[in-house]
Amino acid sequence: MKEKDSQVKKRSPLNVAMGAAFMMAMAAVGPGFLTQTATFTGKMGANFGFAILICIIVDVIVQLNIWRIIIVSGKHAQVLVNEVVPGLGYVLTGLIVFGGFVFNIGNIGGAGLGLNVLFGISPENGALIAAVCAIGLFLARNAMLVVDRTVQVLAVIKVAILVYILAVVTVPYQSAVVHTFAPTSVDFYSIVTIVGGTVGGYISFSGGHKLLEGGFKGIDNVKYVNEGALTGIGVASGIRIMLFLAGLAVVVTGVQLDPANPAATIFKVAAGNFGYKFFGLLLLAAGMTSVLGSTFTSISFLDYNKNQMGRKNWRSWMIVLFIIASTAVFYIVGNPANVLVIAGALNGLILPIALAILLVASTRKKIMGTVYRHPRWLLYTGWVVVAFMAYAGIKTLLNISL
């Protein structure tokens, strides 16, 4: 207990909340995020703005619900689910870890491809370098502080790169705004996919688990939920909007994005070879932050160990194995762009199931305590999101050809 208290004292509550915010945001902004955003911008043009708008609204509802329920209860999501339906938490753990592992293959591959673009290193060797760096960060002294600082620095790099690209292209802002609020067509697959890539699967729990493990739990810490969740959503959404606008500026000129690497096309067309190198740096940053986010969150779902003494060593071994296995699969299977897009859609299908169970948990005094009352607006809008995502997910499954 003393060790835990000393860790909390070393960092201010705001720092811990921002660490959770950036963990969630940068877990979302990975190679798959870049691929999905570029793919749908090329396919839908300005109408994709509507999908982004819906995604932001859903993000706010989902993250505020999940973070609040986890922090007030003081329990990890899988434990909460087990208390609602005994044994179901283990099923959720399996789904989350599987989805996190699939994305981590893409994440580690994306970091390797980023090094390939920057320095000509083979993607396989680049993935090895990225994996070694990620493992080193997790095994460092004060590991989570080191991870937080690394994620925040990489986030600044991502934003700076996109600001530069937007400065050198002509963005059709009027068309983007008009079609965002009055689209001429709506694509359910795009909505399910980007929601799944932003708050689906492991991503929706990364910030809540990070804040909980930073020592914040109980009703008195709800204010940090709002600060962390809304900051994370703002960062992730801002990056998606900037990439969408950059892609739209390229698409409206008649350029067809390369299906194998649509995001790279945007940067090449916008700023030539210099822009392509910037894309490599962005891809490296995106891959590394998502490796850190997916690994942390997936392992937090596997952690049912109540013995604090053995917990640190157990987690260290699981982190190393998770990253090594992801890297090994990348060597064997590769990292095609369409796999990342489909993985985002599958993560979106996990969301209504997980959120529905946690919403049930939020109404149980045995779990949440007798003092706390979950905000009605969050509860009701949460169920609306569950219904919408379930409908959109089923509609997508009936129409998508894999």
Side-chain angles (χ1 to χ4, degrees), residues 24-42:
M24 179 271 287
M26 294 302 102
V29 185
F33 179 103
L34 303 179
T35 301
Q36 292 161 7
T37 304
T39 296
F40 290 121
T41 300

mmCIF file of all heavy atoms in Angstrom, residues 24-42:
data_model
loop_
_atom_site.group_PDB
_atom_site.id
_atom_site.type_symbol
_atom_site.label_atom_id
_atom_site.label_comp_id
_atom_site.label_asym_id
_atom_site.label_seq_id
_atom_site.Cartn_x
_atom_site.Cartn_y
_atom_site.Cartn_z
ATOM 1 N N MET A 24 -5.253 6.424 -24.309
ATOM 2 C CA MET A 24 -6.449 6.082 -25.065
ATOM 3 C C MET A 24 -6.391 6.644 -26.479
ATOM 4 O O MET A 24 -6.621 5.926 -27.465
ATOM 5 C CB MET A 24 -7.694 6.612 -24.344
ATOM 6 C CG MET A 24 -9.017 6.339 -25.066
ATOM 7 S SD MET A 24 -9.499 7.638 -26.243
ATOM 8 C CE MET A 24 -10.001 8.935 -25.112
ATOM 9 N N ALA A 25 -6.054 7.928 -26.596
ATOM 10 C CA ALA A 25 -6.048 8.578 -27.908
ATOM 11 C C ALA A 25 -5.023 7.965 -28.841
ATOM 12 O O ALA A 25 -5.307 7.666 -30.009
ATOM 13 C CB ALA A 25 -5.782 10.074 -27.745
ATOM 14 N N MET A 26 -3.816 7.754 -28.340
ATOM 15 C CA MET A 26 -2.751 7.256 -29.203
ATOM 16 C C MET A 26 -2.842 5.754 -29.448
ATOM 17 O O MET A 26 -2.289 5.240 -30.414
ATOM 18 C CB MET A 26 -1.382 7.605 -28.608
ATOM 19 C CG MET A 26 -1.107 9.101 -28.578
ATOM 20 S SD MET A 26 -1.185 9.889 -30.225
ATOM 21 C CE MET A 26 -2.805 10.667 -30.152
ATOM 22 N N ALA A 27 -3.574 5.034 -28.568
ATOM 23 C CA ALA A 27 -3.871 3.631 -28.860
ATOM 24 C C ALA A 27 -4.771 3.565 -30.094
ATOM 25 O O ALA A 27 -4.663 2.654 -30.921
ATOM 26 C CB ALA A 27 -4.560 2.963 -27.666
ATOM 27 N N ALA A 28 -5.658 4.561 -30.206
ATOM 28 C CA ALA A 28 -6.572 4.605 -31.357
ATOM 29 C C ALA A 28 -5.862 5.041 -32.635
ATOM 30 O O ALA A 28 -6.118 4.495 -33.711
ATOM 31 C CB ALA A 28 -7.723 5.566 -31.056
ATOM 32 N N VAL A 29 -4.964 6.019 -32.520
ATOM 33 C CA VAL A 29 -4.329 6.597 -33.711
ATOM 34 C C VAL A 29 -3.119 5.756 -34.113
ATOM 35 O O VAL A 29 -1.971 6.145 -33.953
ATOM 36 C CB VAL A 29 -3.916 8.060 -33.464
ATOM 37 C CG1 VAL A 29 -3.372 8.682 -34.755
ATOM 38 C CG2 VAL A 29 -5.097 8.876 -32.963
ATOM 39 N N GLY A 30 -3.404 4.568 -34.642
ATOM 40 C CA GLY A 30 -2.365 3.667 -35.106
ATOM 41 C C GLY A 30 -2.362 3.548 -36.617
ATOM 42 O O GLY A 30 -3.078 4.284 -37.317
ATOM 43 N N PRO A 31 -1.592 2.612 -37.160
ATOM 44 C CA PRO A 31 -1.564 2.402 -38.615
ATOM 45 C C PRO A 31 -2.938 2.107 -39.192
ATOM 46 O O PRO A 31 -3.273 2.570 -40.286
ATOM 47 C CB PRO A 31 -0.618 1.205 -38.774
ATOM 48 C CG PRO A 31 0.270 1.274 -37.577
ATOM 49 C CD PRO A 31 -0.596 1.766 -36.466
ATOM 50 N N GLY A 32 -3.747 1.325 -38.458
ATOM 51 C CA GLY A 32 -5.098 1.030 -38.931
ATOM 52 C C GLY A 32 -5.956 2.271 -39.022
ATOM 53 O O GLY A 32 -6.760 2.435 -39.947
ATOM 54 N N PHE A 33 -5.808 3.169 -38.062
ATOM 55 C CA PHE A 33 -6.511 4.451 -38.042
ATOM 56 C C PHE A 33 -6.168 5.255 -39.291
ATOM 57 O O PHE A 33 -7.058 5.814 -39.955
ATOM 58 C CB PHE A 33 -6.085 5.194 -36.776
ATOM 59 C CG PHE A 33 -6.673 6.564 -36.573
ATOM 60 C CD1 PHE A 33 -7.715 6.756 -35.679
ATOM 61 C CD2 PHE A 33 -6.160 7.679 -37.224
ATOM 62 C CE1 PHE A 33 -8.242 8.018 -35.456
ATOM 63 C CE2 PHE A 33 -6.676 8.937 -37.011
ATOM 64 C CZ PHE A 33 -7.726 9.114 -36.119
ATOM 65 N N LEU A 34 -4.879 5.324 -39.625
ATOM 66 C CA LEU A 34 -4.444 6.057 -40.810
ATOM 67 C C LEU A 34 -5.012 5.423 -42.077
ATOM 68 O O LEU A 34 -5.499 6.117 -42.978
ATOM 69 C CB LEU A 34 -2.913 6.072 -40.892
ATOM 70 C CG LEU A 34 -2.153 6.656 -39.701
ATOM 71 C CD1 LEU A 34 -0.644 6.570 -39.955
ATOM 72 C CD2 LEU A 34 -2.565 8.092 -39.428
ATOM 73 N N THR A 35 -4.939 4.084 -42.146
ATOM 74 C CA THR A 35 -5.432 3.363 -43.319
ATOM 75 C C THR A 35 -6.936 3.524 -43.492
ATOM 76 O O THR A 35 -7.423 3.791 -44.596
ATOM 77 C CB THR A 35 -5.086 1.863 -43.203
ATOM 78 O OG1 THR A 35 -3.675 1.713 -43.087
ATOM 79 C CG2 THR A 35 -5.572 1.095 -44.422
ATOM 80 N N GLN A 36 -7.679 3.359 -42.390
ATOM 81 C CA GLN A 36 -9.140 3.487 -42.454
ATOM 82 C C GLN A 36 -9.556 4.876 -42.898
ATOM 83 O O GLN A 36 -10.414 5.031 -43.778
ATOM 84 C CB GLN A 36 -9.743 3.186 -41.075
ATOM 85 C CG GLN A 36 -9.608 1.749 -40.623
ATOM 86 C CD GLN A 36 -9.797 1.612 -39.128
ATOM 87 O OE1 GLN A 36 -10.161 2.572 -38.444
ATOM 88 N NE2 GLN A 36 -9.538 0.428 -38.610
ATOM 89 N N THR A 37 -8.964 5.904 -42.285
ATOM 90 C CA THR A 37 -9.337 7.283 -42.608
ATOM 91 C C THR A 37 -9.045 7.603 -44.067
ATOM 92 O O THR A 37 -9.881 8.191 -44.775
ATOM 93 C CB THR A 37 -8.591 8.272 -41.695
ATOM 94 O OG1 THR A 37 -8.859 7.948 -40.335
ATOM 95 C CG2 THR A 37 -9.029 9.702 -41.974
ATOM 96 N N ALA A 38 -7.873 7.210 -44.545
ATOM 97 C CA ALA A 38 -7.517 7.471 -45.945
ATOM 98 C C ALA A 38 -8.400 6.672 -46.899
ATOM 99 O O ALA A 38 -8.854 7.191 -47.927
ATOM 100 C CB ALA A 38 -6.050 7.118 -46.172
ATOM 101 N N THR A 39 -8.659 5.406 -46.573
ATOM 102 C CA THR A 39 -9.483 4.540 -47.431
ATOM 103 C C THR A 39 -10.876 5.113 -47.624
ATOM 104 O O THR A 39 -11.378 5.219 -48.754
ATOM 105 C CB THR A 39 -9.593 3.126 -46.828
ATOM 106 O OG1 THR A 39 -8.296 2.529 -46.789
ATOM 107 C CG2 THR A 39 -10.517 2.248 -47.662
ATOM 108 N N PHE A 40 -11.517 5.499 -46.519
ATOM 109 C CA PHE A 40 -12.887 6.001 -46.618
ATOM 110 C C PHE A 40 -12.956 7.417 -47.178
ATOM 111 O O PHE A 40 -13.955 7.792 -47.794
ATOM 112 C CB PHE A 40 -13.573 5.912 -45.252
ATOM 113 C CG PHE A 40 -13.872 4.506 -44.820
ATOM 114 C CD1 PHE A 40 -13.353 3.995 -43.652
ATOM 115 C CD2 PHE A 40 -14.645 3.674 -45.619
ATOM 116 C CE1 PHE A 40 -13.612 2.697 -43.259
ATOM 117 C CE2 PHE A 40 -14.903 2.367 -45.242
ATOM 118 C CZ PHE A 40 -14.394 1.869 -44.059
ATOM 119 N N THR A 41 -11.922 8.210 -46.980
ATOM 120 C CA THR A 41 -11.884 9.531 -47.612
ATOM 121 C C THR A 41 -11.825 9.365 -49.124
ATOM 122 O O THR A 41 -12.521 10.076 -49.868
ATOM 123 C CB THR A 41 -10.672 10.339 -47.119
ATOM 124 O OG1 THR A 41 -10.743 10.508 -45.709
ATOM 125 C CG2 THR A 41 -10.646 11.720 -47.779
ATOM 126 N N GLY A 42 -11.002 8.424 -49.585
ATOM 127 C CA GLY A 42 -10.917 8.166 -51.022
ATOM 128 C C GLY A 42 -12.212 7.622 -51.597
ATOM 129 O O GLY A 42 -12.588 7.949 -52.724
#
